Coordinates of all heavy atoms in Angstrom, one line a residue:
A86 N 0.3 47.4 -16.3 CA -1.0 47.1 -15.6 C -1.5 45.7 -15.9 O -1.4 45.3 -17.0 CB -2.0 48.2 -16.3
L87 N -2.0 45.2 -14.8 CA -2.6 43.8 -14.9 C -4.1 43.8 -14.9 O -4.9 42.9 -15.4 CB -2.2 42.9 -13.8 CG -0.6 42.7 -13.7 CD1 -0.2 42.0 -12.5 CD2 -0.1 42.1 -14.9
Q88 N -4.6 44.9 -14.2 CA -6.1 45.1 -14.1 C -6.4 46.6 -14.0 O -5.7 47.3 -13.3 CB -6.6 44.3 -12.9 CG -8.2 44.5 -12.8 CD -8.7 43.7 -11.6 OE1 -8.1 42.8 -11.1 NE2 -10.0 43.9 -11.2
A89 N -7.4 47.0 -14.7 CA -7.8 48.3 -14.8 C -9.3 48.6 -14.7 O -10.0 48.4 -15.8 CB -7.2 49.1 -16.0
S90 N -9.9 48.8 -13.6 CA -11.4 49.1 -13.6 C -11.6 50.2 -12.6 O -10.7 50.5 -11.8 CB -12.1 47.8 -13.2 OG -11.9 47.4 -11.8
S91 N -12.8 50.5 -12.5 CA -13.1 51.6 -11.5 C -13.1 51.1 -10.0 O -13.2 51.9 -9.2 CB -14.5 52.2 -11.8 OG -15.5 51.3 -11.8
S92 N -13.1 49.7 -9.9 CA -13.1 49.2 -8.5 C -11.7 48.7 -8.2 O -11.5 48.6 -6.9 CB -14.2 48.1 -8.4 OG -13.8 47.0 -9.3
E93 N -10.8 48.4 -9.1 CA -9.6 47.8 -8.7 C -8.5 48.1 -9.9 O -8.8 47.9 -11.0 CB -9.5 46.4 -8.4 CG -8.3 45.8 -7.9 CD -8.4 44.4 -7.4 OE1 -8.6 44.3 -6.2 OE2 -8.1 43.5 -8.2
V94 N -7.4 48.5 -9.5 CA -6.2 48.6 -10.4 C -5.1 47.9 -9.7 O -4.8 47.8 -8.6 CB -5.7 50.2 -10.5 CG1 -4.4 50.1 -11.2 CG2 -6.7 50.9 -11.4
R95 N -4.5 47.0 -10.6 CA -3.4 46.0 -10.3 C -2.3 46.3 -11.2 O -2.4 46.2 -12.4 CB -3.9 44.6 -10.3 CG -2.9 43.6 -9.7 CD -3.4 42.2 -9.8 NE -4.6 42.1 -9.0 CZ -4.5 41.6 -7.7 NH1 -3.3 41.2 -7.2 NH2 -5.6 41.5 -6.9
L96 N -1.2 46.7 -10.6 CA 0.0 47.0 -11.4 C 1.1 46.0 -11.0 O 1.2 45.6 -9.8 CB 0.6 48.3 -11.1 CG -0.3 49.6 -11.4 CD1 0.4 50.9 -11.1 CD2 -0.8 49.6 -12.8
N97 N 1.9 45.5 -12.0 CA 3.1 44.7 -11.7 C 4.3 45.5 -11.9 O 4.5 46.4 -12.9 CB 3.1 43.5 -12.8 CG 4.2 42.5 -12.4 OD1 4.1 41.8 -11.4 ND2 5.2 42.5 -13.2
A98 N 5.4 45.3 -11.1 CA 6.7 46.0 -11.3 C 7.8 44.9 -11.3 O 7.7 44.0 -10.5 CB 6.9 47.0 -10.2
L99 N 8.7 45.0 -12.2 CA 9.9 44.1 -12.2 C 10.9 44.4 -11.0 O 11.1 45.6 -10.7 CB 10.6 44.2 -13.5 CG 9.8 44.0 -14.8 CD1 10.6 44.3 -16.1 CD2 9.2 42.6 -14.7
F100 N 11.5 43.3 -10.6 CA 12.5 43.5 -9.5 C 13.8 44.2 -10.0 O 14.2 45.1 -9.4 CB 12.8 42.0 -9.0 CG 13.9 42.1 -8.0 CD1 13.9 42.7 -6.8 CD2 15.1 41.4 -8.2 CE1 14.9 42.7 -5.9 CE2 16.1 41.4 -7.4 CZ 16.1 42.1 -6.2
E101 N 14.3 43.7 -11.1 CA 15.7 44.2 -11.5 C 15.9 45.7 -11.6 O 16.8 46.1 -11.0 CB 16.0 43.6 -12.8 CG 16.4 42.0 -12.8 CD 17.5 41.7 -11.8 OE1 18.5 42.5 -11.7 OE2 17.4 40.7 -11.0
P102 N 14.9 46.5 -12.1 CA 15.3 47.9 -12.3 C 15.0 48.6 -11.0 O 15.2 49.8 -10.8 CB 14.3 48.4 -13.3 CG 13.2 47.4 -13.5 CD 13.8 46.1 -12.9
N103 N 14.5 47.8 -9.9 CA 14.1 48.5 -8.6 C 14.9 47.9 -7.5 O 14.5 48.1 -6.3 CB 12.6 48.1 -8.3 CG 11.8 48.9 -9.4 OD1 11.8 50.2 -9.5 ND2 11.1 48.0 -10.2
I104 N 16.1 47.3 -7.7 CA 16.9 46.7 -6.8 C 17.7 47.8 -6.0 O 18.1 48.9 -6.5 CB 17.8 45.7 -7.3 CG1 18.5 44.7 -6.4 CG2 18.9 46.3 -8.3 CD1 19.1 43.6 -7.1
N105 N 18.0 47.5 -4.6 CA 18.8 48.4 -4.0 C 20.2 47.7 -3.5 O 20.4 46.5 -4.0 CB 18.1 48.8 -2.6 CG 17.8 47.7 -1.7 OD1 18.3 46.6 -1.7 ND2 16.9 47.9 -0.7
H106 N 20.9 48.3 -2.7 CA 22.2 47.8 -2.3 C 22.2 46.5 -1.4 O 23.2 45.8 -1.3 CB 23.0 48.9 -1.5 CG 22.3 49.3 -0.3 ND1 21.2 49.9 -0.2 CD2 22.8 49.0 1.0 CE1 20.9 50.1 1.1 NE2 21.9 49.6 1.9
Q107 N 20.9 46.1 -0.9 CA 20.7 45.0 -0.1 C 20.2 43.9 -1.0 O 19.8 42.8 -0.4 CB 19.7 45.2 1.0 CG 20.3 46.3 2.0 CD 21.5 45.8 2.8 OE1 21.6 44.7 3.1 NE2 22.5 46.8 3.1
A108 N 20.1 44.1 -2.3 CA 19.5 43.0 -3.2 C 18.0 42.7 -2.9 O 17.5 41.7 -3.1 CB 20.3 41.8 -3.2
T109 N 17.3 43.8 -2.4 CA 16.0 43.8 -2.2 C 15.3 44.9 -3.0 O 16.1 45.8 -3.6 CB 15.6 43.8 -0.8 OG1 16.0 45.1 -0.1 CG2 16.0 42.6 0.0
V110 N 14.0 45.1 -2.9 CA 13.4 46.2 -3.6 C 13.6 47.5 -3.0 O 13.6 47.5 -1.7 CB 11.8 46.0 -3.9 CG1 11.2 47.2 -4.4 CG2 11.7 44.8 -4.8
F111 N 14.1 48.5 -3.6 CA 14.4 49.9 -3.0 C 13.0 50.4 -2.5 O 11.9 50.4 -3.2 CB 14.9 50.7 -4.2 CG 15.2 52.2 -3.7 CD1 16.0 52.5 -2.7 CD2 14.6 53.2 -4.4 CE1 16.2 53.8 -2.3 CE2 14.8 54.5 -4.1 CZ 15.6 54.8 -3.0
G112 N 13.1 51.0 -1.2 CA 11.9 51.5 -0.6 C 11.2 52.6 -1.5 O 9.9 52.7 -1.6
G113 N 12.0 53.4 -2.1 CA 11.5 54.5 -2.9 C 10.7 54.0 -4.1 O 9.6 54.4 -4.6
S114 N 11.2 52.8 -4.8 CA 10.4 52.1 -5.9 C 9.1 51.5 -5.4 O 8.1 51.7 -6.0 CB 11.4 51.1 -6.4 OG 12.6 51.6 -7.1
A115 N 9.2 50.9 -4.2 CA 8.1 50.3 -3.7 C 7.0 51.4 -3.5 O 5.8 51.2 -3.8 CB 8.3 49.6 -2.3
S116 N 7.3 52.5 -2.9 CA 6.4 53.6 -2.6 C 5.9 54.2 -4.0 O 4.8 54.4 -4.1 CB 7.1 54.7 -1.8 OG 6.3 55.8 -1.6
A117 N 6.8 54.4 -5.0 CA 6.4 55.0 -6.2 C 5.2 54.0 -6.9 O 4.3 54.5 -7.5 CB 7.6 55.2 -7.1
V118 N 5.5 52.7 -6.9 CA 4.5 51.8 -7.5 C 3.2 51.8 -6.8 O 2.2 51.8 -7.4 CB 5.2 50.4 -7.6 CG1 4.1 49.4 -8.2 CG2 6.5 50.4 -8.5
A119 N 3.3 52.0 -5.4 CA 2.0 52.0 -4.6 C 1.3 53.2 -5.0 O 0.1 53.2 -5.3 CB 2.4 51.8 -3.2
I120 N 2.0 54.3 -5.1 CA 1.5 55.6 -5.5 C 0.8 55.6 -6.9 O -0.3 56.1 -7.1 CB 2.4 56.8 -5.4 CG1 2.8 57.1 -3.9 CG2 1.9 58.0 -6.2 CD1 3.9 58.0 -3.7

């Protein structure tokens, strides 16, 4: 977590554990972090 308030939450996620076969962020990881 980078910010945690009742008006805004901001989370950071690392690239390496979320990489896919195309060397980009895996869509499931992107969705999970947004959720």
Side-chain angles (χ1 to χ4, degrees):
L87 301 174
Q88 183 174 346
S90 73
S91 61
S92 60
E93 184 172 275
V94 166
R95 183 179 297 264
L96 303 178
N97 186 73
L99 300 177
F100 171 65
E101 288 301 322
N103 298 297
I104 196 168
N105 68 14
H106 65 292
Q107 298 292 324
T109 60
V110 170
F111 175 60
S114 293
S116 178
V118 175
I120 290 169

